[in-house]
């Protein structure tokens, strides 16, 4: 029981850490690869691990990815649009997992 709670806590910390990485990275448009990587890791973590997030934590994850998508879309270049499309696909998976 204790091991399960400890693992759950560690996984939750990883999820929130990746969410923080998303929030910091979307301030700098040159860091789209970091944003995509963090979003992808979040998706994988939620698929592979059993983690219970509060509604506020779930909203924070979705909000962070949504902001990153908007930033990428507003960039206007072909690379920005590819980033937007990638994040859009990942965010669809994230919402289903949450």
């Amino acid at each position: 029981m204790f091991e399960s709670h400890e693992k759950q806590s560690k996984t939750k910390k990883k999820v929130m850490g990746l969410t923080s990485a998303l929030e910091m990275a979307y301030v700098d448009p040159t860091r789209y690869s970091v944003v995509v990587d963090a979003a992808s890791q979040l998706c994988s973590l939620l698929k592979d691990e059993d983690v219970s997030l509060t509604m506020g934590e779930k909203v924070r994850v979705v909000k962070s990815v949504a902001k990153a998508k908007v930033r990428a879309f507003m960039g206007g270049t072909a690379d920005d649009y590819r980033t937007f499309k990638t994040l859009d696909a990942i965010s669809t998976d994230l919402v289903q997992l949450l």
Side-chain angles (χ1 to χ4, degrees):
M1 175 83 173
F2 180 71
E3 283 183 36
S4 176
H5 178 69
E6 186 176 306
K7 184 177 181 184
Q8 175 88 220
S9 179
K10 284 182 181 181
T11 303
K12 196 173 195 176
K13 284 180 184 179
K14 286 180 188 177
V15 168
M16 291 298 101
L18 288 167
T19 303
S20 292
L22 271 174
E23 293 166 346
M24 288 186 289
Y26 62 57
V27 173
D28 180 2
T30 63
R31 302 197 43 132
Y32 285 140
S33 63
V34 173
V35 172
V36 170
D37 186 50
S40 180
Q41 286 182 42
L42 261 171
C43 202
S44 294
L45 189 63
L46 291 173
K47 280 181 189 173
D48 297 339
E49 300 290 332
D50 181 31
V51 61
S52 171
L53 300 175
T54 66
M55 185 57 71
E57 291 166 335
K58 290 177 183 181
V59 168
R60 182 176 170 200
V61 170
V62 172
K63 185 177 165 183
S64 297
V65 175
K67 282 185 176 182
K69 282 177 17 179
V70 169
R71 290 257 185 203
F73 188 77
M74 290 174 52
T77 68
D79 284 342
D80 294 333
Y81 187 68
R82 276 191 294 278
T83 300
F84 166 78
K85 293 295 285 179
T86 302
L87 288 172
D88 191 44
I90 292 170
S91 70
T92 300
D93 291 344
L94 277 173
V95 168
Q96 290 175 355
L97 290 167
L98 293 171

